[in-house]
Amino acid sequence: DTLGHSPCCFHHLDEIRCLESMIAAVPEFTVKDLAVNGRDLMALGLSGAQIGQALDLLVNAVVFDGSENKKESLLRYLAERS
Protein backbone atom coordinates (compact mmCIF):
# COMPACT_ATOMS: atom_id res chain seq x y z
CA ASP A 1 0.00 0.00 0.00
CA THR A 2 1.10 3.60 -0.43
CA LEU A 3 1.25 4.35 3.29
CA GLY A 4 4.03 1.82 3.75
CA HIS A 5 6.08 3.63 1.13
CA SER A 6 5.51 7.07 2.59
CA PRO A 7 8.68 8.78 3.88
CA CYS A 8 6.85 9.59 7.13
CA CYS A 9 6.82 5.87 8.00
CA PHE A 10 10.48 5.08 7.34
CA HIS A 11 11.58 6.01 10.87
CA HIS A 12 9.50 3.09 12.18
CA LEU A 13 11.52 0.55 10.18
CA ASP A 14 14.40 0.59 12.65
CA GLU A 15 11.98 0.07 15.55
CA ILE A 16 10.30 -2.81 13.73
CA ARG A 17 13.63 -4.44 12.91
CA CYS A 18 14.73 -4.09 16.52
CA LEU A 19 11.52 -5.72 17.79
CA GLU A 20 11.83 -8.52 15.23
CA SER A 21 15.37 -9.29 16.36
CA MET A 22 14.30 -9.26 20.01
CA ILE A 23 11.45 -11.67 19.30
CA ALA A 24 13.73 -13.95 17.29
CA ALA A 25 16.22 -14.03 20.18
CA VAL A 26 13.66 -15.33 22.69
CA PRO A 27 13.64 -19.12 22.72
CA GLU A 28 10.25 -20.69 22.15
CA PHE A 29 8.76 -22.33 25.24
CA THR A 30 7.19 -25.70 24.43
CA VAL A 31 5.63 -28.70 26.16
CA LYS A 32 9.12 -30.22 26.36
CA ASP A 33 10.19 -27.34 28.61
CA LEU A 34 7.45 -27.93 31.19
CA ALA A 35 8.40 -29.24 34.64
CA VAL A 36 5.63 -31.86 34.22
CA ASN A 37 5.06 -34.45 31.53
CA GLY A 38 2.38 -36.84 30.36
CA ARG A 39 3.31 -39.42 33.00
CA ASP A 40 2.71 -36.89 35.74
CA LEU A 41 -0.72 -36.19 34.31
CA MET A 42 -1.53 -39.89 33.90
CA ALA A 43 -0.79 -40.26 37.62
CA LEU A 44 -3.57 -37.72 38.16
CA GLY A 45 -5.97 -39.86 36.18
CA LEU A 46 -5.83 -38.03 32.86
CA SER A 47 -5.66 -39.99 29.63
CA GLY A 48 -5.61 -39.56 25.88
CA ALA A 49 -6.56 -36.14 24.58
CA GLN A 50 -6.94 -34.82 28.13
CA ILE A 51 -3.17 -35.06 28.57
CA GLY A 52 -2.43 -33.03 25.45
CA GLN A 53 -5.04 -30.44 26.39
CA ALA A 54 -3.65 -30.14 29.91
CA LEU A 55 -0.08 -29.77 28.64
CA ASP A 56 -1.17 -27.04 26.20
CA LEU A 57 -3.01 -25.30 29.03
CA LEU A 58 0.13 -25.42 31.16
CA VAL A 59 2.34 -24.02 28.40
CA ASN A 60 -0.06 -21.10 28.06
CA ALA A 61 -0.11 -20.68 31.83
CA VAL A 62 3.67 -20.36 31.95
CA VAL A 63 4.05 -18.21 28.84
CA PHE A 64 1.05 -15.90 29.14
CA ASP A 65 -0.08 -16.01 32.77
CA GLY A 66 3.36 -15.97 34.34
CA SER A 67 2.80 -19.24 36.20
CA GLU A 68 5.88 -20.74 37.76
CA ASN A 69 7.32 -23.65 35.78
CA LYS A 70 7.69 -25.96 38.77
CA LYS A 71 5.99 -29.31 39.10
CA GLU A 72 4.07 -28.48 42.26
CA SER A 73 2.89 -25.12 40.89
CA LEU A 74 1.74 -26.58 37.60
CA LEU A 75 -0.13 -29.47 39.22
CA ARG A 76 -1.82 -26.98 41.57
CA TYR A 77 -2.75 -24.83 38.56
CA LEU A 78 -4.45 -27.84 36.94
CA ALA A 79 -6.23 -28.82 40.14
CA GLU A 80 -7.64 -25.30 40.48
CA ARG A 81 -9.12 -25.52 36.98
CA SER A 82 -10.71 -28.94 37.17
Side-chain angles (χ1 to χ4, degrees):
D1 66 18
T2 57
L3 182 60
H5 297 286
S6 171
C8 71
C9 297
F10 289 148
H11 67 277
H12 293 296
L13 290 176
D14 288 335
E15 294 171 11
I16 292 170
R17 287 186 183 119
C18 180
L19 289 172
E20 287 175 340
S21 66
M22 289 170 57
I23 290 169
V26 175
E28 184 178 344
F29 188 88
T30 68
V31 169
K32 293 178 184 179
D33 300 311
L34 286 171
V36 298
N37 59 37
R39 290 187 182 138
D40 297 317
L41 302 182
M42 287 190 318
L44 296 177
L46 299 179
S47 63
Q50 292 174 322
I51 293 172
Q53 292 168 351
L55 291 171
D56 288 341
L57 177 70
L58 293 174
V59 167
N60 287 330
V62 171
V63 173
F64 298 113
D65 296 341
S67 294
E68 195 173 30
N69 186 25
K70 293 190 176 178
K71 186 174 182 174
E72 303 80 27
S73 298
L74 295 174
L75 295 178
R76 188 176 333 109
Y77 183 91
L78 279 179
E80 291 170 356
R81 277 144 188 83
S82 59

